[in-house]
């Protein structure tokens, strides 16, 4: 005998308990992924919670255990799909040290990448919902995502005016709204809001045209 203690193999009971714990940890992620796919195909209003449960392979009470209502489920997806990317975009704008042309071009590219997902358009529709069916979600999008993004853009335009890259004397907050509005249009136009702007390639051309026109309009004389 060597004197070493040999660990006993895990019992089936222990293995199944560990597997259940791992499964429980993974379940919210599975529900979110299933909900994202379902909402992309059917829309937020048409999709039902029992359909989310079926797509995730769980019971409806299990979905409600993690997300007590459709709004809570949408909010969790909203945080991943829109809030976090827009915070990252705002941080990039705030820390940008290059020219205003590079900032505008980089902003356009990054927003264009975000717009490739169908849910971004759905989130913006919720923010503009005149019926007020999801007021907490609409308020979060407007005040915690869009408004801070406009403030960061306004600050960048103010700094560009101070550097002489943009003509002085303009309200940077209004410039930010003017600059950002067409990006909303390119997202909302595909779901019946604003003017339609075609496919991904046409939307990219539209963003490039708008960015160039904005720079020409505010260049120093």
């Amino acid at each position: 005998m060597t004197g070493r203690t040999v660990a006993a193999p895990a019992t089936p009971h222990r293995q199944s308990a560990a597997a259940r714990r791992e499964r429980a940890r993974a379940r919210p992620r599975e529900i979110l992924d299933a909900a994202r796919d379902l909402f992309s195909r059917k829309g937020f209003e048409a999709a039902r919670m029992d359909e989310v449960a079926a797509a995730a392979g769980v019971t409806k009470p299990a979905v409600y255990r993690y997300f007590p209502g459709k709004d809570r489920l949408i909010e969790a997806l909203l945080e991943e799909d829109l809030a976090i990317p827009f915070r990252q975009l705002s941080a990039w704008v705030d820390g940008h040290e290059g020219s205003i042309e590079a900032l505008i071009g980089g902003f356009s590219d990054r927003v264009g990448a975000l717009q490739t997902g169908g849910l971004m358009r759905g989130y913006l529709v919720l923010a503009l919902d005149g019926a007020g069916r999801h007021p907490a979600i609409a308020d979060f999008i407007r005040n915690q995502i869009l408004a801070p993004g406009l403030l960061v853009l306004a600050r960048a335009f103010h700094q560009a005016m101070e550097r002489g890259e943009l003509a002085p004397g303009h309200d940077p907050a209004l410039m930010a709204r003017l600059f950002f509005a067409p990006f909303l249009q390119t997202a909302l136009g595909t779901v019946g809001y604003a003017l339609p702007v075609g496919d991904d390639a046409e939307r990219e051309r539209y963003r490039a045209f708008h960015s160039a026109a904005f720079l020409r309009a505010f260049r120093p004389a």
Side-chain angles (χ1 to χ4, degrees), residues 36 39-41 43-44 81 113-125 187 190-191:
R36 180 181 287 107
F39 290 153
S40 295
R41 290 185 286 106
F44 293 121
D81 297 342
L114 288 174
Q115 289 179 345
T116 58
L119 278 186
M120 180 181 179
R121 296 186 286 272
Y123 296 134
L124 295 178
V125 169
T190 59
V191 287

Side-chain angles (χ1 to χ4, degrees), residues 9 14 36 99 104 120 133 143 158 161 185 190 221:
R14 289 177 179 172
R36 180 181 287 107
S99 67
I104 284 176
M120 180 181 179
R133 288 167 289 188
N143 297 322
H158 175 73
M161 284 190 283
Q185 179 187 344
T190 59

Side-chain angles (χ1 to χ4, degrees), residues 10-208:
T11 65
H13 174 73
R14 289 177 179 172
Q15 289 175 338
S16 62
R20 285 195 297 271
R21 288 194 297 271
E22 184 62 31
R23 186 85 173 89
R25 284 194 292 267
R27 193 163 290 130
R29 174 79 274 145
E30 294 168 355
I31 293 171
L32 286 173
D33 290 343
R36 180 181 287 107
D37 177 68
L38 184 66
F39 290 153
S40 295
R41 290 185 286 106
K42 297 194 65 172
F44 293 121
E45 298 301 329
R48 303 190 311 271
M49 292 294 274
D50 60 315
E51 293 177 308
V52 173
V58 300
T59 64
K60 188 175 178 180
V63 175
Y64 277 95
R65 187 177 306 125
Y66 295 100
F67 305 100
K70 188 190 286 188
D71 277 11
R72 301 292 83 75
L73 188 55
I74 294 172
E75 288 168 2
L77 288 170
L78 173 63
E79 179 68 19
E80 290 187 353
D81 297 342
L82 201 60
I84 291 174
F86 261 82
R87 290 186 199 116
Q88 293 170 340
L89 177 59
S90 294
W92 178 82
V93 171
D94 228 10
H96 184 77
E97 296 181 350
S99 67
I100 191 63
E101 292 95 334
L103 184 145
I104 284 176
F107 183 91
S108 178
D109 291 342
R110 286 164 172 79
V111 171
L114 288 174
Q115 289 179 345
T116 58
L119 278 186
M120 180 181 179
R121 296 186 286 272
Y123 296 134
L124 295 178
V125 169
L126 289 179
L128 298 173
D129 181 14
R133 288 167 289 188
H134 304 277
I137 294 174
D139 181 73
F140 179 81
I141 294 172
R142 293 170 187 155
N143 297 322
Q144 302 300 319
I145 298 176
L146 298 180
L150 289 172
L151 286 175
V152 169
L153 279 174
R155 186 159 54 244
F157 292 151
H158 175 73
Q159 292 168 350
M161 284 190 283
E162 288 187 328
R163 295 193 302 267
E165 292 182 276
L166 297 176
H170 299 286
D171 185 336
L174 294 180
M175 292 172 66
R177 288 177 177 271
L178 176 66
F179 176 68
F180 192 64
F183 292 97
L184 292 179
Q185 179 187 344
T186 57
L188 296 171
T190 59
V191 287
Y193 287 75
L195 296 174
V197 288
D199 58 14
D200 288 344
E202 185 175 347
R203 285 193 287 273
E204 184 176 352
R205 289 194 296 272
Y206 181 85
R207 289 191 297 267

